[in-house]
């Protein structure tokens, strides 16, 4: 990777991935873009910034040519719960941006990273130890776009030789930019409530177990996959990756070890619960570990220490 374009740089992943890429590959080599400017001070002051609406192919193409881009991180998506409220928007944004990226990557010989998600699975997928290759019949529009995206990305690789790579991210927990409209967002919001001394109202029931990952591991994961030796990749779109799995009750109890006065109550969000119930309890990510050395560092306990320390100094 020499010249990199990040689409969706203002988002939960983009805001941190852009800074990490700049640290590794040099500030001027990483272009941060989003549909709305200005970006944060950190992003705007550390390197090039461009305004791009990723559903407009010509806007991406212009920037790809201007900076001689060889790698695109396409982080444009509407998360599961928001997409479910506006399915057409979810489809148009997710698939529109992806198709544009695939075509532009084909024409300009770029490598392309596009996250998939645990949302690419559905009710008839094996829930425990979900295999890399298994039934994918999601019942959400978010999941439908993710499966379609995986298939299209593999198609562009086999048909046109475009270097497409992807992972099925679990819920991502971070302390820089809040996610928005996801089903797993509760696992971020709970830390903010704990540090602010507020009662947390959990939208999922106490037994809902889901895969999760701390943002530093998610960033390493995306970069490591894009740097991986292509001849070792048996799979491409997309690899199961996970770092931990827990229920709301388990994360609550972990936080209580540090803040014993913290209180959580359950206030179910029916739509989010339905979505979460259709996702795996935990995935088998052995292919990612074997094919490109995926190895996350943070478990629930280490992540909780780091999240609480960081948020205490931030809030
Ligand atoms: C969501 O909850 O929609 C996302 C995801 C797991 O893809 N965080």
């Amino acid at each position: 990777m020499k010249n990199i374009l990040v689409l969706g740089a203002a988002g939960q992943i983009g805001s941190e991935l852009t800074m990490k890429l700049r640290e590794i590959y040099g500030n001027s080599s990483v272009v941060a873009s989003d549909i709305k400017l200005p970006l944060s001070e950190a992003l705007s002051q550390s390197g090039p910034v461009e305004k791009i609406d990723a559903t407009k192919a010509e806007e991406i193409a212009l920037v790809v040519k201007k900076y001689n881009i060889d790698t695109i991180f396409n982080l444009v998506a509407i998360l599961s719960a928001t997409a479910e409220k506006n399915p057409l928007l979810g489809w148009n944004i997710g698939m529109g941006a992806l198709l544009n990226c695939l075509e532009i990557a084909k024409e300009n010989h770029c490598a392309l990273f596009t996250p998939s998600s645990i949302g690419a699975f559905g009710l008839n997928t094996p829930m425990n130890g979900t295999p890399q290759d298994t039934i994918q019949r999601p019942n959400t529009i978010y999941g439908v776009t993710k499966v379609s995206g995986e298939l299209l990305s593999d198609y562009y690789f086999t048909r046109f030789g475009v270097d497409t790579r992807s992972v099925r991210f679990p819920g991502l927990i971070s302390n820089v930019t809040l996610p928005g409209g996801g089903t797993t967002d509760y696992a971020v919001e709970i830390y903010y409530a704990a540090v602010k001394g507020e009662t947390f109202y959990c939208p999922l029931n106490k037994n809902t177990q889901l895969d999760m990952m701390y943002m530093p591991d998610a960033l390493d994961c995306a970069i490591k996959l894009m740097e991986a030796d292509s001849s070792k990749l048996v799979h491409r779109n997309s690899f199961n990756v996970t770092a931990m799995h827990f229920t709301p009750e388990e994360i609550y109890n972990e936080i209580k070890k540090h803040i014993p006065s913290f209180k959580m109550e359950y206030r179910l969000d029916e739509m989010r619960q339905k979505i979460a119930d259709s996702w795996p309890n935990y995935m088998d990510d052995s292919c990612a570990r074997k094919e490109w050395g995926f190895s996350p560092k943070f478990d629930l306990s280490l992540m909780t220490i780091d999240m609480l320390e960081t948020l205490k100094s931030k809030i």
Side-chain angles (χ1 to χ4, degrees), residues 2-306:
K2 286 200 180 73
N3 297 317
I4 301 166
L5 170 62
V6 180
L7 295 169
Q12 191 201 10
I13 306 177
S15 55
E16 292 190 58
L17 182 63
T18 306
M19 295 307 286
K20 178 92 187 175
L21 289 167
R22 284 182 175 165
E23 211 180 288
I24 300 173
Y25 300 95
N27 285 348
S28 58
S29 306
V30 182
V31 183
S33 80
D34 211 283
I35 189 165
K36 265 198 217 136
L37 297 186
L39 298 178
S40 69
E41 221 177 277
L43 286 171
S44 335
Q45 288 180 2
S46 57
V49 169
E50 295 283 347
K51 184 173 179 298
I52 296 180
D53 174 351
T55 62
K56 297 190 175 129
E58 64 283 6
E59 293 191 13
I60 308 175
L62 256 173
V63 173
V64 164
K65 291 204 165 71
K66 178 172 167 191
Y67 294 90
N68 200 16
I69 296 295
D70 57 58
T71 306
I72 303 172
F73 285 84
N74 166 29
L75 308 176
V76 177
I78 304 283
L79 293 185
S80 54
T82 304
E84 218 39 45
K85 287 184 197 140
N86 193 343
L88 202 60
L89 181 78
W91 174 267
N92 285 342
I93 301 277
M95 296 313 288
L98 176 62
L99 260 174
N100 289 339
C101 285
L102 286 166
E103 274 299 303
I104 287 160
K106 180 177 88 167
E107 277 156 34
N108 296 276
H109 309 287
C110 300
L112 176 62
F113 176 86
T114 307
S116 183
S117 157
I118 50 174
F121 297 115
L123 279 168
N124 51 6
T125 299
M127 291 281 173
N128 296 323
T130 305
Q132 172 65 42
D133 301 310
T134 186
I135 304 163
Q136 290 184 265
R137 305 285 294 175
N139 55 357
T140 62
I141 190 68
Y142 181 67
V144 171
T145 64
K146 290 302 179 190
V147 176
S148 310
E150 291 185 10
L151 291 172
L152 259 177
S153 300
D154 270 347
Y155 175 76
Y156 269 72
F157 171 66
T158 47
R159 177 79 171 80
F160 304 116
V162 179
D163 188 359
T164 53
R165 305 180 187 197
S166 170
V167 294
R168 294 180 185 130
F169 273 136
L172 297 181
I173 293 145
S174 64
N175 49 50
V176 175
T177 306
L178 282 167
T183 302
T184 57
D185 295 5
Y186 94 88
V188 180
E189 290 154 2
I190 193 171
Y191 286 106
Y192 280 82
V195 169
K196 287 181 185 161
E198 295 168 356
T199 299
F200 180 64
Y201 297 99
C202 185
L204 301 182
N205 74 36
K206 61 200 251 181
N207 302 319
T208 311
Q209 181 176 299
L210 292 168
D211 277 312
M212 301 278 175
M213 193 186 292
Y214 197 30
M215 190 57 87
D217 281 329
L219 305 182
D220 284 349
C221 165
I223 295 168
K224 201 165 194 176
L225 174 59
M226 293 313 280
E227 287 288 8
D229 178 349
S230 139
S231 69
K232 302 248 161 64
L233 300 181
V234 180
H235 299 87
R236 280 185 166 263
N237 303 283
S238 300
F239 284 94
N240 287 358
V241 287
T242 181
M244 63 190 96
H245 46 263
F246 52 75
T247 63
E249 204 65 12
E250 284 163 345
I251 187 173
Y252 171 60
N253 286 328
E254 193 62 38
I255 295 173
K256 265 175 80 84
K257 287 183 191 163
H258 304 271
I259 309 177
S261 59
F262 180 44
K263 296 253 171 316
M264 177 168 87
E265 288 173 24
Y266 289 94
R267 246 185 222 172
L268 224 64
D269 173 331
E270 271 178 39
M271 188 174 62
R272 281 189 164 83
Q273 185 63 51
K274 203 168 155 218
I275 296 173
D277 286 343
S278 74
W279 291 356
N281 294 331
Y282 63 94
M283 294 183 287
D284 170 3
D285 62 5
S286 51
C287 289
R289 291 174 191 259
K290 196 167 139 212
E291 291 175 38
W292 49 277
F294 168 65
S295 67
K297 295 182 186 65
F298 286 88
D299 59 13
L300 177 58
S301 136
L302 284 178
M303 175 178 77
T304 299
I305 294 169
D306 199 64

